[in-house]
Amino acid sequence: MIKVKSLKFLVLSFTFCTLSFSFITGCQKQELHKESRIIMGTFAGVKSTDERAARIAFDEIKRIEDLMSKYKEDSEVWKLNKRGRISASPDVMYVIKKAKEIWLLSNGAFDITVGPLMDLWGFSDKKYSPPSPAQIKRALKITGLDKVIVNEANNSIRFNASGMKIDLGAVAKGYAIDCAVKKLKENGITSAIVRVGGEIYALGTKAGRPWVIAIRSTDKKGFAGTLEMVDRAVSTSGNYEQFFIKDGIRYTHIINPKTGMSANSGVAGVTVLAPDCLTADALATAIFVLGEDKGRALAKKIPGAQIKLIIKERQ
Ligand code: AMP
Ligand code: MG
């Protein structure tokens, strides 16, 4: 029997630590505006003393979702997966180029071409089932970012093998947050928290003090710690977000692109800090696949990145 657990909507790896809705700066009491939404298939939230912040940030996150969701018909990713080639927007070009950088640095552990493997395991349509070795072998033949050809001269992207599919689930949320933060700054907003699922950016300070972010433990029963952040991104990848259990084995939604199997590096959860959220997002996923030792070596290669927490699988 397959036990299914999709906790996308229930479990957040982070929670905002601000308990009060208002706080004092100098002699003035400032109200903290908070707004939550379900977007990009998960919970998102924006907090700021500027009441314009949520609208500005969510508009931008929605714009990125419309470009990069593999489920939305007419998104650029959907079209690329269907037709095998597209003329890409600057956003999609940028994300694919960044994904290639992390792919190279991670020695292929981070690979957005896991689309066919995600489908095969049932993580795309939630019809979970471990595939046969023959099915995995076939899917691996059309996996690999080396088979994605990026042409910067005419901003086009094409696949080198038919049946390939990209999946930006490990990186689009982080990029959407980066875009939202950029828009906030362009609008003169200097203090906010923007969160989408397990990804967070802390813009500026909270009335002169660092924002405090609580890291929830993977068993969801408590907190693994808190982080103080100013102008910094944090991302968590964990085996509790989407998984199923078959014959006592837990299969999680992050795939090892070398084997085609659900990643089982011994890491149950990893929390990473970085200067931008795209990098934090991609890196957390890559470390989840690589495991602790190789993951630490990878983080050292990325300027400004820092592993904050690695929770190991119980043996
Ligand atoms: P995250 O929660 O950020 O770690 O991202 C997990 C999502 O990334 C999965 O749901 C897939 O959409 C995608 N994904 C799975 N395995 C990989 C991988 N090895 N490299 C890149 N993306 C992946
Ligand atoms: Mg990620």
Side-chain angles (χ1 to χ4, degrees), residues 210-241:
W211 291 97
V212 179
I213 310 292
I215 308 174
R216 195 168 273 185
S217 54
T218 48
D219 64 7
K220 304 164 308 208
K221 288 185 186 141
F223 295 105
T226 56
L227 291 171
E228 295 199 343
M229 288 172 40
V230 177
D231 293 327
R232 208 143 162 75
V234 64
S235 167
T236 292
S237 284
N239 66 2
Y240 47 86
E241 278 182 40

Side-chain angles (χ1 to χ4, degrees), residues 1-303:
M1 196 195 62
I2 296 179
K3 250 172 64 188
V4 176
K5 202 113 185 178
S6 175
L7 297 176
K8 249 187 192 167
F9 294 96
L10 300 175
V11 182
L12 303 169
S13 11
F14 287 91
T15 184
F16 295 135
C17 215
T18 320
L19 297 173
S20 60
F21 291 88
S22 55
F23 54 94
I24 313 283
T25 39
C27 299
Q28 270 191 329
K29 197 172 183 209
Q30 287 198 292
E31 200 185 342
L32 198 59
H33 300 276
K34 302 208 279 188
E35 209 177 304
S36 306
R37 271 190 210 175
I38 290 175
I39 195 164
M40 299 186 99
T42 188
F43 275 120
V46 175
K47 282 185 187 182
S48 177
T49 49
D50 193 312
E51 62 185 348
R52 297 170 303 153
R55 185 191 51 75
I56 293 168
F58 284 131
D59 280 356
E60 194 61 3
I61 292 165
K62 168 91 171 42
R63 186 179 72 80
I64 300 303
E65 181 184 30
D66 288 346
L67 284 173
M68 298 186 189
S69 164
K70 69 174 179 177
Y71 300 106
K72 286 201 165 189
E73 283 197 22
D74 283 349
S75 80
E76 287 190 15
V77 166
W78 187 87
K79 283 185 200 154
L80 176 61
N81 287 346
K82 198 158 171 63
R83 301 173 192 161
R85 60 172 67 227
I86 48 161
S87 273
S89 60
D91 294 283
V92 170
M93 285 293 284
Y94 179 79
V95 170
I96 303 246
K97 277 194 291 174
K98 281 289 189 188
K100 278 217 174 206
E101 281 173 32
I102 306 276
W103 171 73
L104 278 173
L105 286 170
S106 69
N107 201 15
F110 179 86
D111 192 329
I112 55 169
T113 66
V114 292
L117 286 159
M118 292 298 289
D119 292 350
L120 207 51
W121 282 88
F123 287 116
S124 303
D125 59 6
K126 298 193 167 49
K127 293 185 181 144
Y128 308 101
S129 163
S132 71
Q135 286 175 307
I136 290 182
K137 204 171 156 192
R138 275 200 298 278
L140 282 173
K141 286 203 178 116
I142 49 170
T143 303
L145 252 174
D146 54 322
K147 294 186 264 299
V148 176
I149 313 301
V150 178
N151 185 338
E152 293 199 53
N154 63 3
N155 290 331
S156 70
I157 300 170
R158 72 177 170 83
F159 294 151
N160 221 349
S162 67
M164 289 184 74
K165 284 184 184 175
I166 60 164
D167 180 329
L168 298 181
V171 79
K173 292 194 285 293
Y175 179 68
I177 290 176
D178 288 340
C179 292
V181 167
K182 187 164 171 251
K183 273 275 181 260
L184 293 177
K185 288 182 183 166
E186 283 169 11
N187 281 277
I189 297 171
T190 54
S191 166
I193 290 275
V194 184
R195 168 171 64 89
V196 182
E199 277 59 64
I200 298 180
Y201 191 88
L203 171 64
T205 63
K206 185 185 169 200
R209 298 230 178 111
W211 291 97
V212 179
I213 310 292
I215 308 174
R216 195 168 273 185
S217 54
T218 48
D219 64 7
K220 304 164 308 208
K221 288 185 186 141
F223 295 105
T226 56
L227 291 171
E228 295 199 343
M229 288 172 40
V230 177
D231 293 327
R232 208 143 162 75
V234 64
S235 167
T236 292
S237 284
N239 66 2
Y240 47 86
E241 278 182 40
Q242 196 187 351
F243 65 92
F244 65 93
I245 295 173
K246 175 128 200 264
D247 299 333
I249 300 173
R250 175 198 279 250
Y251 298 99
T252 191
H253 66 137
I254 299 175
I255 301 286
N256 180 339
K258 295 274 159 72
T259 62
M261 297 296 290
S262 168
N264 61 350
S265 66
V267 169
V270 53
T271 298
V272 176
L273 293 166
D276 64 273
C277 215
L278 180 154
T279 302
D281 195 357
L283 188 55
T285 310
I287 295 170
F288 189 92
V289 175
L290 286 170
E292 179 158 12
D293 295 345
K294 288 183 184 158
R296 287 196 187 280
L298 170 62
K300 282 198 186 121
K301 292 191 229 164
I302 297 178

